[in-house]
Amino acid sequence: MNIHKHMEAVFVATVVLAVGGAYAIDTLPQANAKAAVTASVGAQAPAVVVKAKRMTAEEKRQSLQAERDADGQFAVAQSAANRM
């Protein structure tokens, strides 16, 4: 079947299916949706307040290096365990 020769028929069939599907969906009854139930909290919701000084650039670098070293040690331990 040469699709280029029958492109008009393919288009018409697609439109018929789309219009028929839209009409069928529109005739369905609406869903009985209920309002969302929200939990009521007392007068005040608990809040977490973090008070700390900001890290300096050097402290950030050291912290990042410590994390990378810890990740590297974990990776080495994992590869050693996989060899066994």
Side-chain angles (χ1 to χ4, degrees):
M1 182 170 147
N2 191 351
I3 192 75
H4 296 293
K5 285 185 180 179
H6 303 290
M7 189 55 76
E8 183 180 358
V10 170
F11 176 75
V12 171
T14 303
V15 169
V16 168
L17 288 173
V19 170
Y23 180 75
I25 289 175
D26 284 343
T27 59
L28 293 175
Q30 294 295 322
N32 294 327
K34 295 181 182 177
V37 178
T38 57
S40 64
V41 180
Q44 286 281 346
V48 176
V49 178
V50 178
K51 293 183 180 181
K53 65 176 189 141
R54 289 187 173 263
M55 294 173 72
T56 64
E58 180 61 25
E59 290 171 333
K60 287 180 188 177
R61 189 191 63 73
Q62 290 173 353
S63 175
L64 226 100
Q65 188 61 44
E67 285 181 26
R68 289 180 181 155
D69 291 343
D71 287 343
Q73 290 173 359
F74 179 72
V76 169
Q78 283 286 349
S79 63
N82 289 340
R83 287 186 211 147
M84 292 182 172

